[in-house]
Amino acid sequence: MKVYKKLIDVRNKLQTMTLTKSGHNKFAGYKYFELGDFIPQVTAIFNELGLCGTVSFTQDTAYLTVYNVDGDKDDFITFTSPMVYASMEKMQAIQNLGSTHTYMRRYLWLMC
């Protein structure tokens, strides 16, 4: 089965699950998905269907590549987003970097 067909199957399985948004923006008053709200389910479905997702970053771009581990080495999809860096005034540089990585990972997985 090709990676695109498997990705459709993942999306269909996720749609049948009840996922809860545990993140809460107190200032704007909305809830959002945190990585822990959906990554365990995605990982289980990916394992079941023979997929593997990897996240990587360059200075300018964030990447999520989904590989079909049962297919040939060229059977993959890559989702990309321009990098935007978090910059909270009272945080250390490493904390801003961690925030950036967390945000970018979440947004890439939600694109997938």
Side-chain angles (χ1 to χ4, degrees):
M1 187 180 327
K2 296 290 184 184
V3 70
Y4 286 96
K5 171 64 173 118
K6 288 183 176 185
L7 187 57
I8 290 169
D9 291 346
V10 171
R11 290 173 178 172
N12 282 328
K13 287 178 179 279
L14 279 172
Q15 288 177 3
T16 66
M17 296 179 170
T18 302
L19 301 177
T20 303
K21 296 178 180 181
S22 66
H24 183 243
N25 183 314
K26 297 173 190 168
F27 301 105
Y30 64 87
K31 292 192 156 253
Y32 58 90
F33 286 114
E34 292 186 350
L35 286 167
D37 297 334
F38 61 89
I39 288 294
Q41 293 85 346
V42 170
T43 301
I45 297 170
F46 269 36
N47 186 52
E48 174 188 334
L49 297 178
L51 295 173
C52 177
T54 62
V55 175
S56 60
F57 307 100
T58 65
Q59 191 72 15
D60 301 320
T61 308
Y63 301 88
L64 167 61
T65 304
V66 177
Y67 296 93
N68 179 5
V69 298
D70 298 327
D72 63 59
K73 64 182 172 110
D74 295 325
D75 193 16
F76 62 88
I77 304 168
T78 301
F79 299 88
T80 63
S81 177
M83 287 292 289
V84 176
Y85 290 87
S87 60
M88 304 283 215
E89 290 181 23
K90 296 183 180 184
M91 293 176 76
Q92 298 292 323
I94 193 68
Q95 292 172 305
N96 279 319
L97 181 61
S99 294
T100 298
H101 287 175
T102 299
Y103 282 123
M104 295 309 298
R105 285 179 58 217
R106 182 171 67 231
Y107 295 141
L108 287 167
W109 279 108
L110 291 174
M111 285 173 34
C112 177

